[in-house]
Amino acid sequence: MSNPAALPTPPGSSSSSSSSPSATNAPEASDAISRLDALLEIYLDRLDRYQRLREELSQNFSAGFLSLAYANRSGNLGSGRRYGEEGYDARMKAGRRVRIQTKPGKAADLVGGAGACRKKKHVEEGADQRGPHSSGGGGGGGGGTIRYTTEQLIPSCEDDAEDETAHSPVVPYEMTAAQKAFISPPRDEKPSSSTTGPAADADTNTNTNNTRLPPPPLTPASSSLSSTQPPPPPPPPPNHTTNSSQQQPRSKSKSKSSKSKTKKAVNPLNWYGVLVPASLRAAQTSFACAIQGPIPQLVNIQLEMRDLECQIRKIRAEAGLTRLTGQDVE
Amino acid sequence: MEGMFYNVNGGFVEGIVRGYRNTLLTAQNYSNLTQCETIDDVKLQLGPAYGDTLAALPPNPSTSSLASKTTEKLVADFRYLQAQATGSLAKFMEYLTYGYMIDNVALLITGTLHERDTRELLERCHPLGWFETLPVLCVATNIEELYNSVLIETPLAPYFKGSLSHQDLDELNIEIVRNTLYKNYLEDFYHFVNNHPDMRGTPTAEVMSGVLEFEADRRAINITINSFGTELSKSERQKLYPQFGKLYPEGSLMLSRADDIESVGLAVSGVGDYKSFFDQMNQSGGVGAGNMAGGSANEGKSLEDLFYQKEMELSKLVFTHQFTHAVIYAWVKLREQEIRNITWIAECIAQNQKDRIGNYITVF
């Protein structure tokens, strides 16, 4: 993942832009500038959240690894033996699965958000194509939005609760009405996104079909929706709820089948015996927390930020503040 | 009187072990180690004690390879001693290796159950616990078969009594088998040092009884604490407690009924040492699930650390006795702790967790 500081933040945002307004169309420029300000505000907010999540993630990981070292020290497995890959079960199944919800639009390359967290839970990228109604990123006005969530397939040792649809609390990318009004004025230069929509879907499919379970086929309804629907104006909030109600039965049936299949030894902790030391449990909890919590949120925020950057660049180009680069035209 | 003829057979080996003991890392060495910035520095600091053993390591080795190389040195030293040992001393040293054999058996059975490539696992077996028929273990699919085809020939066969009732191999049963084996092993070892004609009534019997009782109690307490929240039932748990030690029988009985860490503390309160461990933990506020978690911020020592500390003190005391096999046991324990310390320090350096680096245990 790229360092947020290294991201191309717009240089000298408000002061430089206000100092050199284009002389010809002053009211339009000021409108653009205020939209720009709103966007930058959101961007900074996301940046702040990103940094806090990174902190949380590093705390989770360092606590996890330290607990693991401590468990190794306890010598519970026998002297000189370590809790490592020698205990892996060759039949291991993913304990968490990444769900990717895409919204047709710009082909966003999949960042490997799941790769970093294979330590305990073996996150697999489940290429779960969802309908077009992803809740996030309404303000993009046609930018492709991908949302990552992790779902728990097997009950961990702590919570044997049966809520299969226990998603991480991903903060949806919502904007206030005023912000939306600023950011997405009626714009007509977006006809291409509807044509790239299915392509993007196909792209994500090919990127992620190295999974064990084949991706569930798109229902005809959703696929037709995704191909025909023009890039919507900011989707109304109820979309989210309908979407989640749509996907619930499917995910439930899936996890139920996986549960019956791997009835025994679902918890990887048991690979190392039943009487594992408390520090190993603590390590598992830490790693699981990292996967449940910060990682999907981080990836989502990173995507949001990228989206925002694009918008900022475009608005600046429209206002004549900078030249449109090839990156934005994509 | 009892030491009059000890040196005929055991003097040379005892002398070597005392020499080994003097090369153990001291507090000064450890404080140097904790100043290290990289694993390479650690390697350098270990140069005098470990010599050529670490030379084969690549620059900035992983902590696991560091641990395995330091273990190699221990094994080499042990094998050298074993080659010199005769009579009851040789038998005694064989007994020392049974514990590792049990661990290896558990590793291989678990690997078989997990459909792992067992050749790969064979390399990871502890060299001290190697025996001829170990590779054949990979074919076993249930305990009866395991016993009849493989283990009947090994020294571990007698320890299987009591664990043959379990037919299927799953994680829980393997854990039970492993702990039953270990319990039987400890009891047998205890019986051996107290009844063998060469050792009965000698300092060996006296000293070894002490350390084995401690080991038995520690196992019982650890099993109890680790079993909270698992599927191991109380009656099964009770069968895993060794039937000797300072806690046996009253403390064991109370342990078998314990539901939480407080009742464990109550169960062991009859023994002064253990009581003080739990008191210290209460003071440091580390009681509960986090009592052995390394991630918590409390500076107080965990129960495991306290047990290790006690074990080290006992092992150090063993060297004050003369004419006894027990020095070998003590030396092995001290070396194992040394390896754990080195690994911990290296781990802290690698993970940049310098504030917890002082959690090593040293008695010299």
Side-chain angles (χ1 to χ4, degrees), chain A residues 61-63 65-67 69-82 85-91 157 264-265 270-279 281-282, chain B residues 63-64 100 103-104 107 110 113-116 120-121 124 126 171-172 175 178-179 223 226-227 230 232 289 292 294-295 302 304-305 308 336 340 343-344 347 351 353 356 359:
Chain A
F61 273 156
S62 66
F65 278 113
L66 199 68
S67 300
Y70 209 86
N72 278 329
R73 193 169 101 140
S74 75
N76 207 45
L77 276 185
S79 165
R81 183 144 311 144
R82 296 165 67 83
E85 48 109 9
E86 65 188 32
Y88 278 6
D89 193 333
R91 307 158 302 169
C157 57
K264 280 186 172 181
N270 285 347
W271 296 345
Y272 302 98
V274 177
L275 303 175
V276 295
S279 42
R281 288 179 205 280
Chain B
T63 47
S64 55
Y100 303 97
D103 291 334
N104 285 349
L107 174 70
T110 317
L113 182 72
H114 290 167
E115 296 175 8
R116 290 289 305 270
E120 187 186 317
L121 291 178
R124 293 177 181 270
H126 199 290
E171 272 88 356
L172 182 65
E175 189 75 53
R178 188 170 95 98
N179 282 293
I223 287 173
N226 289 340
S227 73
T230 64
L232 188 72
M292 280 182 270
S302 71
E304 279 186 337
D305 284 349
Y308 276 133
E336 282 185 345
R340 274 195 291 271
T343 315
W344 176 255
E347 198 86 59
Q351 294 184 24
Q353 295 269 6
R356 307 198 42 106
N359 266 4

Side-chain angles (χ1 to χ4, degrees), chain A residues 106-164:
Chain A
K106 210 180 306 179
D109 56 331
L110 292 176
V111 287
C117 43
R118 292 235 171 80
K119 186 65 194 171
K120 276 282 169 197
K121 281 300 180 186
H122 315 288
V123 169
E124 302 263 342
E125 288 191 352
D128 241 359
Q129 295 298 116
R130 291 297 165 200
H133 294 295
S134 85
S135 66
T145 308
I146 298 178
R147 241 187 84 199
Y148 293 81
T149 51
T150 49
E151 59 177 349
Q152 194 173 353
L153 293 181
I154 53 169
S156 74
C157 57
E158 279 76 28
D159 49 354
D160 279 39
E162 294 284 308
D163 55 342
E164 293 94 350

Side-chain angles (χ1 to χ4, degrees), chain B residues 269-311:
Chain B
S269 59
V271 182
D273 283 335
Y274 310 148
K275 186 172 186 298
S276 72
F277 294 166
F278 277 83
D279 288 346
Q280 283 181 50
M281 276 181 29
N282 279 326
Q283 279 164 12
S284 65
V287 184
N291 67 332
M292 280 182 270
S296 58
N298 59 340
E299 287 304 307
K301 290 194 165 175
S302 71
L303 186 62
E304 279 186 337
D305 284 349
L306 291 168
F307 271 117
Y308 276 133
Q309 179 81 41
K310 179 73 185 166
E311 186 183 39

